[in-house]
Amino acid sequence: MSPDRSKGLTVIRQQLDELEILEKQTFQDLNTVAGTERVAKWKERTVALISDTVGHLEGQAFTRIQPGPSFTNDLVEEFTDLVECYRSPLTILAKRLSQAPPTGS
């Protein structure tokens, strides 16, 4: 794996870890409003990090991710859906980076 791809994979894994910590903190605090605000700030940082380490196009793609509509009136479930809408694409990106063939130098 090239150093750039390795760095990108490391950043993606760190952001996944941060997202998990935010999720746990939100459930511990029982405050989904504050959790949603923390996730929004996390997303901004994540977009910048992805753009810097993986590529501008990947950063733009992550920017466009938005949670779908929720009709449950269950704030915990809505927050879980929000976290998952970001976790899934990052997990897929990490898998793609780890399985990408090495680039020739």
Side-chain angles (χ1 to χ4, degrees):
M1 186 179 316
S2 74
D4 289 344
R5 215 169 338 164
S6 177
K7 184 178 178 183
L9 184 57
T10 299
V11 165
I12 298 301
R13 288 180 176 155
Q14 287 172 342
Q15 292 311 105
L16 283 165
D17 289 344
E18 277 187 32
L19 184 61
E20 185 174 325
I21 290 167
L22 289 175
E23 182 179 33
K24 286 179 182 176
Q25 180 183 359
T26 298
F27 292 142
Q28 187 176 15
D29 298 345
L30 296 175
N31 188 342
T32 58
V33 173
T36 300
E37 291 171 359
R38 287 190 293 263
V39 169
K41 291 176 185 175
W42 168 88
K43 181 183 177 186
E44 287 180 31
R45 285 191 318 275
T46 302
V47 167
L49 288 167
I50 289 172
S51 295
D52 290 345
T53 59
V54 180
H56 187 67
L57 292 177
E58 291 294 344
Q60 284 180 328
F62 196 75
T63 298
R64 290 189 295 271
I65 296 171
Q66 297 295 324
S70 180
F71 304 104
T72 64
N73 289 328
D74 180 342
L75 296 177
V76 171
E77 185 175 331
E78 289 176 16
F79 182 77
T80 302
D81 291 347
L82 172 71
V83 169
E84 192 56 39
C85 92
Y86 298 128
R87 179 184 290 133
S88 292
L90 281 183
T91 302
I92 292 167
L93 179 57
K95 186 175 182 179
R96 223 175 63 221
L97 288 173
S98 68
Q99 294 177 345
T103 56
S105 297

